[in-house]
C-alpha cells in the first residue's frame, strides 16, 4: 500500500517558467512533509519541508503548499532553471509505534527536466 | 568537511556471497538509516538505528543485517538470503530519530550481483 504517491513520473518545463510537482498521501498520521532532490548516482539532498500545521513554506525559488483536507502537497519552483533538472522525491514523516521515533516514507519520485 | 561517506561507489559480487556496504558519518548524528532504491521506485527503509548498539528493522529488512558499534559507523551486510540484492543503496543520518526530521544522505553504493 503506497502511502505517499507521486503520480507523475516525469515533468518537462521551459527555463524561466514555473514547475509544479505534486504529491498525495493517505496516512493522516503524517506530521511533517519534505522534498528531496536527487541527481543520478548521488544521494538525495534536502530541499524544503513543511509542518502539517502550516499550509505554505517558502525558501527562495521554492515554495511548498500543503492542503491537509485533500491530503495533497505541491512543490513550486519559480523560475525554473536547467540546473533544477533532477528527480524530486516527496517524503512524509510519521511516528513509529510507541511514538518514540520517526521514520520517513518516500514517494517514487518525479523526474523534472528544465529545457533551456 | 562534515558529511556521510559510503564506499565503494560501485560493487560487484557473485550470487551466494555476502557483501558489506560501508557508511560513515562525522556529523555527530545519533540516528542512521539504510535505504534501497530500485528503478522507478522510491526509497525503501531497510534498517535504522537510533543510538549506538541499537537498531530496528525497517520495511524490507529480510536478507539484510546491520551493526552499530560506533556512533560514526553503520555498516550494512547484504546476505545471500536477499533474493534481489542488485540495487542502489543509500545511507542517511539525522540528528535524532526522535526529534530530527531532516535526513542527510550519502552518495550511495550501486551493488550488482550476478
Amino acid at each position: 500500500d503506497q502511502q505517499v504517491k507521486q503520480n507523475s513520473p516525469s515533468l518537462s518545463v521551459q527555463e524561466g517558467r514555473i514547475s509544479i510537482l505534486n504529491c498525495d498521501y493517505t496516512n493522516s498520521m503524517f506530521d511533517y512533509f519534505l522534498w528531496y532532490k536527487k541527481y543520478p548516482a548521488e544521494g538525495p539532498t534536502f530541499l524544503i519541508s513543511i509542518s502539517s500545521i502550516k499550509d505554505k513554506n517558502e525558501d527562495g525559488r521554492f515554495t511548498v503548499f500543503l492542503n491537509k483536507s485533500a491530503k495533497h502537497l505541491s512543490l513550486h519552483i519559480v523560475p525554473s532553471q536547467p540546473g533544477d533538472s533532477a528527480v524530486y522525491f516527496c517524503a512524509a514523516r510519521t511516528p513509529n509505534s510507541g511514538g518514540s521515533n520517526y521514520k520517513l516514507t518516500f514517494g517514487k519520485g518525479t523526474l523534472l527536466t528544465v529545457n533551456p | 568537511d562534515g558529511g556521510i561517506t559510503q564506499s565503494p561507489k560501485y560493487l560487484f559480487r557473485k550470487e551466494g556471497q555476502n557483501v558489506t556496504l560501508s557508511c560513515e558519518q562525522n556529523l555527530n548524528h545519533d540516528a542512521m538509516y539504510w535505504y534501497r532504491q530500485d528503478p522507478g521506485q522510491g526509497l525503501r527503509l531497510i534498517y535504522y538505528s537510533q543510538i549506538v548498539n541499537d537498531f530496528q528493522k525497517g520495511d524490507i529488512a529480510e536478507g539484510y543485517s546491520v551493526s552499530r558499534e560506533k556512533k560514526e559507523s553503520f555498516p550494512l551486510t547484504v546476505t545471500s538470503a536477499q533474493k534481489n540484492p542488485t540495487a542502489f543503496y543509500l545511507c542517511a543520518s539525522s540528528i535524532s530519530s526522535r526529534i530530527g526530521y531532516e535526513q542527510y544522505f550519502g552518495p550511495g553504493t550501486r551493488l550488482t550481483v550476478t
Side-chain angles (χ1 to χ4, degrees):
Chain A
D1 179 31
Q2 201 179 343
Q3 298 186 57
V4 178
K5 299 178 185 177
Q6 293 178 257
N7 292 318
S8 298
S10 63
L11 174 68
S12 183
V13 300
Q14 283 300 119
E15 181 178 5
R17 307 294 288 268
I18 184 171
S19 295
I20 300 176
L21 297 112
N22 295 304
C23 179
D24 297 295
Y25 63 95
T26 57
N27 189 342
S28 57
M29 296 298 290
F30 289 142
D31 65 348
Y32 224 99
F33 301 89
L34 305 90
W35 284 94
Y36 282 84
K37 176 180 177 180
K38 183 182 181 299
Y39 293 114
E42 292 184 11
T45 55
F46 170 73
L47 200 55
I48 192 169
S49 63
I50 188 167
S51 165
S52 61
I53 62 173
K54 296 189 174 182
D55 55 19
K56 178 182 176 181
N57 188 27
E58 191 172 355
D59 183 3
R61 296 186 297 115
F62 303 92
T63 303
V64 56
F65 295 92
L66 175 63
N67 183 334
K68 204 172 173 182
S69 61
K71 292 190 173 68
H72 176 83
L73 66 154
S74 61
L75 174 67
H76 292 210
I77 306 173
V78 183
S80 301
Q81 300 173 353
D84 296 329
S85 297
V87 176
Y88 289 79
F89 288 101
C90 171
R93 186 183 85 164
T94 185
N96 287 334
S97 57
S100 62
N101 58 78
Y102 298 90
K103 71 170 188 175
L104 294 181
T105 301
F106 287 82
K108 292 187 177 183
T110 296
L111 173 63
L112 173 66
T113 302
V114 180
N115 301 304
Chain B
D1 286 357
I4 302 176
T5 57
Q6 291 184 245
S7 60
K9 194 166 180 67
Y10 300 95
L11 191 53
F12 298 88
R13 279 294 182 271
K14 294 287 188 186
E15 193 174 328
Q17 293 178 336
N18 290 356
V19 58
T20 298
L21 281 60
S22 166
C23 177
E24 304 278 331
Q25 55 99 358
N26 60 3
L27 299 167
N28 200 30
H29 286 172
D30 282 326
M32 296 186 74
Y33 312 80
W34 274 106
Y35 292 89
R36 166 184 174 138
Q37 186 191 13
D38 295 283
Q41 299 290 323
L43 280 64
R44 293 184 290 167
L45 182 65
I46 303 173
Y47 266 99
Y48 65 98
S49 167
Q50 298 179 66
I51 199 166
V52 174
N53 293 323
D54 178 73
F55 49 83
Q56 282 85 40
K57 292 181 179 180
D59 300 319
I60 54 166
E62 186 175 348
Y64 299 98
S65 66
V66 293
S67 63
R68 186 87 187 275
E69 297 176 3
K70 298 187 300 181
K71 188 175 184 177
E72 302 79 19
S73 179
F74 190 41
L76 173 76
T77 297
V78 184
T79 75
S80 56
Q82 168 48 233
K83 295 189 186 331
N84 297 297
T86 294
F88 188 53
Y89 290 88
L90 287 158
C91 178
S93 71
S94 65
I95 294 172
S96 166
S97 64
R98 298 186 186 210
I99 59 172
Y101 52 88
E102 181 182 334
Q103 294 181 13
Y104 295 83
F105 285 83
T109 292
R110 180 163 299 280
L111 172 65
T112 302
V113 176
T114 57

